[in-house]
Amino acid sequence: MDQQRINNWGGWAVFYISLFVYIFTLEPTLSLWDCGEFLVSAYKLEINHSPGAPLFMLLGRVFSLFSFGDPGKAAYTINLVSAVSGAATILFLFWTIVWLISKLEQKQGKTFPLILKFGAAAIGSLSFAFTDSFWFSAVEAEVYALSSLFSAVILWAATRWEREADEPDSSRWIILIFFLIGLSIGAHLLNLLVIPSVGLIVYFRKYKYSPKGLFVALIISGIGIIALLKILIPGILDLSKNLELFFVNELHFPIHSGLFTYLILLIGAISAGLFYTHRKQLPRLNLAILCLTFLVIGYTSYIATIVRASAGVPINQGNPETTFSLLNYLNREQYGTRPILYGANFGSIVTDYQERNTWIASKGKYIKSQLNPDIEYDKNTIGFFPRMHSSDPEHLEPYKNWVDLKGRKVPVQDEEGKLTNTIVPTFQENVSFFLKYQLGFMYLRYFMWNFAGRQNDIQGNGDLQNGNWQSGFPFIDSQIAGPQTHLTSAAKENKGRNSYYFLPLLIGIFGIFFQYKNDKQNFLSTGLLFFLMSYPLMVYLN
């Protein structure tokens, strides 16, 4: 049997193994947090919280049809979206690992035994399939399994392009990647973090390595993510708002007439660009326009959002029924803003508000409405790395629980102009909260659940009894979760209790050093993906 056939059969084998396990452990109804919202929005095509997940909503609706009209089975069938997506993620992960091993064979000039090559791919992919976090996501109505699938398919498509890069029609894989990126926007924006890894695969395949070239490739990839997040995703719609306002308020045309006109002009401009570049024999520019076209086609899943919002469905968060409300929905206007690297702390004093306006539909025309204002703070009360930025009284006490919070006094003027003092955390206290809570408790705890073990399935708030990681070694676990010698039977028999004895972690660390030593280029490509989806993402989200 040739290797390609083994590769295909092996991939589908891990797919079905994962799928069967996910189906046997599938949530019969709903889980906590957003799952109920996603189930309802999928079952009745309603609008969940911004920025939405229209592709998940549409897929969930298709899967719900397999309940054959029985509402009691609708949740189960929608949960299957995650099960199938999770299993498919493992399929493409298997094929990507095989590609990585093949690259290693090329660099070392030798062929590994088939049982070693495909066995390693099976162990790697199935190990990920049954990690705590991924297995959890694969059995409930959440977007993370579908999001992981897009990340896996995009990375796999990049490996397929790498194999065929010198062939005339290899650009079809690049077009596919852009189409998948467009589709993934309708599931979750996390998938965009795979772009730098794809960029490095392209760079190492087409260019000779140099530190400068690597730096430029990383910068271009980073600009690509920012352009998608800040320019293209909202910008495609943003360009239509003035035309929509002119058609409705000035020409007295119906709502959406300006949007429809804009779409016709956009399709015409793209068609003209494709025709011109083809006729003038400009292949690179033609490819760029094709990539943009397919990205936009994938992005059109958001048409479902505006259509269903216009239908006045019961769950209609943000009511994105017009160009303006959909733009606000995509920009998450309802949540306000949070500082990332520089800004306000919990004790910062507001000095001014800058009004921001939008337009809402009323009686067949648009009228002005207010958005959340831009808030200006006393410059002496803001600072770098404001990890403790929330002024919610319910958050202040947890801040004090994690940090020996003393702060610093800052003289300010109150609303009446009188001089008073406010307490703001110091930079060191912000860093301490980041290291202890955001990094130590939230990130590393979840990380160790997957690679060392888990105490139980109770969330926990930093106490010894609940939610900690464990290894299975009492002398280590006693430092993390307290003494292990007199545990109750309930604690020992908790179904979420697992002990891996650090084996997944040690194997992973060994793999990191092995790949770094033997294949530095792909170490950078895969390592960058791991890095972006860990520390930078944690800083951004918190």
Side-chain angles (χ1 to χ4, degrees), residues 386-433:
R387 298 289 92 187
M388 295 183 283
H389 54 75
S390 174
S391 58
D392 188 331
E394 293 185 358
H395 295 162
L396 296 181
E397 194 62 34
Y399 289 159
K400 296 176 182 178
N401 292 338
W402 285 97
V403 179
D404 182 17
L405 191 58
K406 297 179 180 178
R408 61 183 178 90
K409 288 185 178 180
V410 179
V412 295
Q413 287 186 338
D414 61 19
E415 295 179 355
E416 298 178 356
K418 296 180 180 179
L419 191 65
T420 184
N421 292 319
T422 185
I423 302 295
V424 297
T426 65
F427 174 75
Q428 290 81 4
E429 288 170 342
N430 272 309
V431 171
S432 178
F433 180 75

Side-chain angles (χ1 to χ4, degrees), residues 165-214:
D166 296 327
E167 298 180 11
D169 59 351
S170 62
S171 58
R172 72 187 191 277
W173 294 107
I174 300 297
I175 296 171
L176 175 62
I177 288 171
F178 275 84
F179 177 60
L180 292 169
I181 290 173
L183 282 175
S184 72
I185 295 170
H188 199 281
L189 296 175
L190 179 68
N191 316 281
L192 301 182
L193 294 180
V194 78
I195 291 175
S197 292
V198 173
L200 288 188
I201 290 174
V202 173
Y203 168 71
F204 288 130
R205 182 63 175 82
K206 284 292 186 179
Y207 303 95
K208 185 177 180 180
Y209 169 79
S210 69
K212 180 181 178 181
L214 177 63

Side-chain angles (χ1 to χ4, degrees), residues 153-339:
V153 179
I154 290 169
L155 192 62
W156 170 81
T159 68
R160 289 304 304 266
W161 171 86
E162 193 274 343
R163 296 176 196 172
E164 304 175 14
D166 296 327
E167 298 180 11
D169 59 351
S170 62
S171 58
R172 72 187 191 277
W173 294 107
I174 300 297
I175 296 171
L176 175 62
I177 288 171
F178 275 84
F179 177 60
L180 292 169
I181 290 173
L183 282 175
S184 72
I185 295 170
H188 199 281
L189 296 175
L190 179 68
N191 316 281
L192 301 182
L193 294 180
V194 78
I195 291 175
S197 292
V198 173
L200 288 188
I201 290 174
V202 173
Y203 168 71
F204 288 130
R205 182 63 175 82
K206 284 292 186 179
Y207 303 95
K208 185 177 180 180
Y209 169 79
S210 69
K212 180 181 178 181
L214 177 63
F215 177 76
V216 171
L218 291 173
I219 292 297
I220 293 174
S221 299
I223 291 173
I225 295 178
I226 295 172
L228 280 170
L229 279 174
K230 301 298 183 181
I231 300 175
L232 188 62
I233 294 175
I236 288 177
L237 196 62
D238 191 63
L239 290 172
S240 70
K241 65 182 184 182
N242 291 331
L243 195 61
E244 171 75 1
L245 190 63
F246 175 73
F247 269 64
V248 175
N249 280 17
E250 300 298 329
L251 301 182
H252 305 292
F253 283 9
I255 300 291
H256 299 318
S257 56
L259 176 61
F260 289 144
T261 303
Y262 167 75
L263 292 176
I264 293 171
L265 292 173
L266 180 63
I267 293 170
I270 290 175
S271 301
L274 290 172
F275 177 79
Y276 176 80
T277 53
H278 177 72
R279 188 172 183 179
K280 294 294 183 179
Q281 298 296 305
L282 302 171
R284 291 188 177 181
L285 185 56
N286 183 266
L287 176 60
I289 297 176
L290 272 174
C291 290
L292 175 63
T293 302
F294 277 85
L295 189 147
V296 172
I297 291 173
Y299 186 33
T300 55
S301 63
Y302 271 94
I303 291 176
T305 298
I306 199 168
V307 169
R308 293 302 293 164
S310 299
V313 292
I315 297 180
N316 193 1
Q317 297 202 42
N319 190 24
E321 62 177 350
T322 68
T323 304
F324 298 97
S325 57
L326 181 59
L327 188 60
N328 297 333
Y329 183 76
L330 291 171
N331 288 331
R332 303 176 180 83
E333 290 288 354
Q334 71 185 80
Y335 302 130
T337 59
R338 295 179 181 180

Side-chain angles (χ1 to χ4, degrees), residues 98-173:
V98 170
W99 174 79
L100 288 169
I101 297 173
S102 298
K103 297 297 292 183
L104 194 60
E105 288 178 323
Q106 294 177 18
K107 290 183 179 297
Q108 295 188 353
K110 63 181 181 181
T111 301
F112 296 128
L114 295 183
I115 186 65
L116 179 63
K117 181 176 182 177
F118 294 102
I123 291 171
S125 56
L126 289 174
S127 295
F128 179 71
F130 303 124
T131 52
D132 187 273
S133 297
F134 190 75
W135 193 348
F136 199 98
S137 298
V139 295
E140 63 180 9
E142 256 289 6
V143 297
Y144 301 116
L146 183 60
S147 173
S148 298
L149 172 58
F150 277 111
S151 297
V153 179
I154 290 169
L155 192 62
W156 170 81
T159 68
R160 289 304 304 266
W161 171 86
E162 193 274 343
R163 296 176 196 172
E164 304 175 14
D166 296 327
E167 298 180 11
D169 59 351
S170 62
S171 58
R172 72 187 191 277
W173 294 107

Side-chain angles (χ1 to χ4, degrees), residues 271-522:
S271 301
L274 290 172
F275 177 79
Y276 176 80
T277 53
H278 177 72
R279 188 172 183 179
K280 294 294 183 179
Q281 298 296 305
L282 302 171
R284 291 188 177 181
L285 185 56
N286 183 266
L287 176 60
I289 297 176
L290 272 174
C291 290
L292 175 63
T293 302
F294 277 85
L295 189 147
V296 172
I297 291 173
Y299 186 33
T300 55
S301 63
Y302 271 94
I303 291 176
T305 298
I306 199 168
V307 169
R308 293 302 293 164
S310 299
V313 292
I315 297 180
N316 193 1
Q317 297 202 42
N319 190 24
E321 62 177 350
T322 68
T323 304
F324 298 97
S325 57
L326 181 59
L327 188 60
N328 297 333
Y329 183 76
L330 291 171
N331 288 331
R332 303 176 180 83
E333 290 288 354
Q334 71 185 80
Y335 302 130
T337 59
R338 295 179 181 180
I340 299 176
L341 297 178
Y342 185 80
N345 295 285
F346 62 76
S348 297
I349 300 298
V350 176
T351 58
D352 197 10
Y353 295 93
Q354 298 295 327
E355 288 189 1
R356 298 166 60 241
N357 297 316
T358 186
W359 297 85
I360 60 174
S362 177
K363 298 179 180 179
K365 66 177 184 178
Y366 288 108
I367 60 174
K368 272 192 175 182
S369 179
Q370 289 188 343
L371 293 171
N372 291 324
D374 285 332
I375 303 175
E376 295 181 3
Y377 295 91
D378 187 308
K379 294 182 178 179
N380 294 319
T381 64
I382 60 179
F384 288 101
F385 209 53
R387 298 289 92 187
M388 295 183 283
H389 54 75
S390 174
S391 58
D392 188 331
E394 293 185 358
H395 295 162
L396 296 181
E397 194 62 34
Y399 289 159
K400 296 176 182 178
N401 292 338
W402 285 97
V403 179
D404 182 17
L405 191 58
K406 297 179 180 178
R408 61 183 178 90
K409 288 185 178 180
V410 179
V412 295
Q413 287 186 338
D414 61 19
E415 295 179 355
E416 298 178 356
K418 296 180 180 179
L419 191 65
T420 184
N421 292 319
T422 185
I423 302 295
V424 297
T426 65
F427 174 75
Q428 290 81 4
E429 288 170 342
N430 272 309
V431 171
S432 178
F433 180 75
F434 170 74
L435 294 175
K436 289 182 179 179
Y437 181 74
Q438 294 180 344
L439 176 63
F441 183 68
M442 294 305 295
Y443 175 74
L444 288 179
R445 179 175 63 126
Y446 277 73
F447 179 87
M448 296 301 280
W449 282 356
N450 292 281
F451 293 95
R454 185 171 180 174
Q455 182 184 26
N456 52 42
D457 57 4
I458 303 172
Q459 173 64 30
N461 292 297
D463 55 281
L464 295 177
Q465 288 79 24
N466 297 312
N468 298 295
W469 65 269
Q470 66 175 27
S471 64
F473 296 109
F475 68 94
I476 295 177
D477 297 341
S478 62
Q479 306 300 314
I480 305 298
Q484 304 292 300
T485 52
H486 301 291
L487 295 177
T488 64
S489 58
K492 293 179 181 179
E493 295 169 6
N494 185 281
K495 292 184 178 181
R497 186 177 181 85
N498 295 299
S499 295
Y500 304 142
Y501 303 97
F502 293 112
L503 290 177
L505 182 64
L506 293 173
I507 292 172
I509 292 173
F510 173 78
I512 289 173
F513 283 105
F514 180 83
Q515 190 181 35
Y516 175 77
K517 181 180 178 181
N518 295 281
D519 187 1
K520 289 185 175 61
Q521 292 184 353
N522 285 312

